[in-house]
Amino acid sequence: LLIIANTDGILKLLICDKYGKIRGGGCGIDCRKDGLAMTVEDVRAALGARVLVGEEHLDREVRTACGSDMMSDVLAFSKDHGVLLTGLVNPQVVRTAEMLDIVCIIFIRGKKADEKLLQMARERDLVILETGHRMFTACGLLYEAGLRGGAI
């Protein structure tokens, strides 16, 4: 993907890869703002998260993120091809993700999922990540990496 950018009055030709990362440049333009998506692997890397389930699905596209411990909020505001950040570790999280076509659940604050929950995720082809970051920090890191939450 080629993008012409005007920075300080100087035109530059930038080459972005399919993940929105600038190759051979670095003027601070985030190519994802122009509609390119991240992958689950990009999300994992941005958070320094550990994969618990679904390593074979890290190439899936991610367009939005939602952070909440209240599944009613997730049901009301989440969009497809998203990631869900939550400190709630129970089967309802997996069921909610399945209903909304969420591709990845991220357990924050070092929360640990039991084997029953991980098996539910495997059966539904979900990716489960865990990170030690708190909700605010994790959401901020993903926003900084170019992922947005979408309009309400």
Side-chain angles (χ1 to χ4, degrees):
L1 175 64
L2 301 174
I3 296 176
I4 298 176
N6 186 344
T7 58
D8 298 324
I10 300 169
L11 288 177
K12 291 184 179 181
L13 184 63
L14 304 173
I15 302 173
C16 295
D17 66 16
K18 67 181 182 177
Y19 302 114
K21 295 182 180 135
I22 295 172
R23 303 295 181 204
C27 66
I29 293 173
D30 185 347
C31 299
R32 288 185 209 99
K33 291 179 184 172
D34 291 326
L36 297 178
M38 296 176 76
T39 64
V40 175
E41 172 57 26
D42 295 329
V43 169
R44 188 213 58 75
L47 295 175
R50 189 167 75 105
V51 180
L52 300 180
V53 170
E55 192 158 348
E56 67 275 18
H57 303 302
L58 295 179
D59 60 342
R60 286 187 177 163
E61 186 178 89
V62 174
R63 296 184 190 142
T64 62
C66 177
S68 182
D69 290 344
M70 295 179 61
M71 292 303 103
S72 59
D73 284 351
V74 176
L75 287 166
F77 300 115
S78 193
K79 304 199 183 321
D80 66 341
H81 293 282
V83 297
L84 169 59
L85 294 99
T86 186
L88 186 63
V89 182
N90 66 34
Q92 190 60 32
V93 174
V94 174
R95 290 185 193 106
T96 301
E98 180 182 30
M99 288 184 348
L100 297 174
D101 293 325
I102 289 172
V103 297
C104 177
I105 299 169
I106 304 167
F107 293 121
I108 58 167
R109 299 188 310 267
K111 296 285 186 149
K112 304 291 183 199
D114 64 17
E115 187 54 42
K116 181 179 176 183
L117 187 142
L118 296 177
Q119 185 58 37
M120 283 180 70
R122 277 187 204 97
E123 291 168 359
R124 290 157 176 83
D125 291 327
L126 290 169
V127 178
I128 303 286
L129 304 178
E130 73 173 6
T131 181
H133 293 295
R134 293 179 178 180
M135 180 76 76
F136 183 81
T137 303
C139 290
L141 289 169
L142 293 179
Y143 188 87
E144 188 176 66
L147 193 60
R148 300 297 181 254
I152 294 177

